[in-house]
Amino acid sequence: MIDNVEGMVESIVSNSHMQSSVNDGVTEKTHQIMAHQYEDELFCPLCGASRRQKVEKFSNYQGFDIIEPGHKIEFKQFPIVHIATCLQCSTKTTMVLYEGPEKLELAILRNTYGGSVTENTPQEVKYYLDQACRARMMSALSASMAMYRSALEWILYDQGYVDGMLGAKINKLEESLSNNTAPKWANDMPVELLTAIKNIGNGAMHTNGGDISKQQQIDGSLIELVDIVFAELLDVIYEQPIRRSKNVQRLKSVAANLSK
Ligand SMILES: [Zn+2]
């Protein structure tokens, strides 16, 4: 996966070949040249899952040195820009490896609305999922998580739970489940899942007992999981009912024609 600095560097190294070596008795540095094009895995927001990508070297950098022992990699110049194209849907992703304030960082920039938005997702929910994705692209993962929390609040608002903050809205949803007035989708999604997203979103914004290190738990793989949960949530709420009704209509109309 090339969605993090380590993965990207590993991919660059494994898709490179030795051009020449500096020796003088001891081989300390090995000059590497990277293949112009290679393939690797990356999450595709349009496909909603990890997809094989054609990755092209975009920036005209000279290469990098691997310093032995311990394989310390020193790039000669920044930024390093690659363009990844999803082999399934052709979504393009621009990947910029650059020097951040403390260490190497990776920006992942896409040409689609980010996040797991579906065709019939309401605009307000789309807005917050896009914000979540933009924050994620710049590795601002706590900011991203806070936006997922807002997206969830808008989903519940859209579904008729308009009063109070997110916690109150989830309580109302539970109440309506227990008296059989909840929307159909609520029976297919465990409420604990929504509560967990709320709590992690709160944790991303709160002081958590004065311990900022707790934010480290909100990492790339967690955000990817949250995105997958949203993809499922949006499908169950906004796409499944439409798909089902279209299928029923089509089958009924063919059945009616055949029985004439
Ligand atoms: Zn795709």
Side-chain angles (χ1 to χ4, degrees):
M1 284 287 274
I2 47 175
D3 63 349
N4 58 77
V5 172
E6 292 73 26
M8 191 76 206
V9 168
E10 196 184 305
S11 193
I12 289 174
V13 172
S14 63
N15 287 288
S16 300
H17 64 272
M18 191 192 299
Q19 192 197 41
S20 65
S21 54
V22 181
N23 34 47
D24 274 341
V26 186
T27 307
E28 285 190 328
K29 286 185 176 182
T30 308
H31 188 64
Q32 305 278 326
I33 291 293
M34 192 187 180
H36 183 71
Q37 188 179 306
Y38 63 99
E39 286 186 14
D40 213 310
E41 296 279 323
L42 181 69
F43 180 80
C44 173
L46 215 63
C47 293
S50 268
R51 288 285 182 267
R52 199 116 192 108
Q53 311 270 331
K54 179 181 81 180
V55 188
E56 289 166 282
K57 185 174 89 173
F58 184 78
S59 57
N60 191 26
Y61 64 93
Q62 293 297 308
F64 54 89
D65 289 331
I66 295 181
I67 302 169
E68 304 283 356
H71 297 287
K72 185 175 185 295
I73 295 156
E74 283 197 351
F75 290 96
K76 286 177 188 267
Q77 66 186 71
F78 286 101
I80 293 171
V81 184
H82 286 189
I83 312 271
T85 308
C86 175
L87 292 181
Q88 188 160 334
C89 75
S90 300
T91 287
K92 282 197 188 299
T93 306
T94 304
M95 321 205 43
V96 185
L97 196 62
Y98 65 101
E99 288 176 293
E102 290 179 12
K103 52 182 169 40
L104 267 190
E105 294 196 31
L106 180 67
I108 301 173
L109 314 166
R110 303 195 196 271
N111 73 346
T112 56
Y113 272 114
S116 48
V117 294
T118 63
E119 196 182 342
N120 297 293
T121 300
Q123 279 307 322
E124 299 82 0
V125 179
K126 259 186 199 169
Y127 175 83
Y128 279 100
L129 288 177
D130 185 51
Q131 291 281 305
C133 186
R134 283 169 194 261
R136 181 184 175 190
M137 284 172 181
M138 301 305 292
S139 308
L141 301 181
S142 291
S144 180
M145 192 62 228
M147 294 296 97
Y148 278 114
R149 185 199 175 283
S150 294
L152 177 61
E153 188 156 4
W154 270 102
I155 289 175
L156 291 181
Y157 187 95
D158 172 69
Q159 293 295 299
Y161 301 94
V162 296
D163 294 326
M165 294 174 70
L166 181 54
K169 289 180 170 72
I170 293 175
N171 288 343
K172 283 276 178 208
L173 176 69
E174 276 183 314
E175 250 176 68
S176 61
L177 272 167
S178 60
N179 60 29
N180 293 322
T181 56
K184 259 188 183 172
W185 62 263
N187 296 295
D188 296 331
M189 291 299 289
V191 177
E192 295 103 301
L193 208 57
L194 311 185
T195 305
I197 289 171
K198 174 195 71 118
N199 290 342
I200 299 169
N202 289 346
M205 291 186 284
H206 294 165
T207 49
N208 304 323
D211 183 3
I212 191 71
S213 71
K214 283 190 179 164
Q215 308 286 352
Q216 301 291 325
Q217 293 171 66
I218 303 170
D219 60 10
S221 66
L222 181 87
I223 295 291
E224 183 164 334
L225 177 62
V226 172
D227 207 61
I228 289 167
V229 167
F230 266 88
E232 191 184 352
L233 196 57
L234 296 176
D235 189 64
V236 167
I237 300 175
Y238 298 113
E239 308 304 324
Q240 258 185 28
I242 294 173
R243 210 160 49 223
R244 206 169 278 164
S245 125
K246 273 185 187 162
N247 290 345
V248 168
Q249 272 172 20
R250 165 132 176 75
L251 289 177
K252 273 170 74 179
S253 93
V254 174
N257 283 337
L258 286 173
S259 62
K260 269 178 193 167

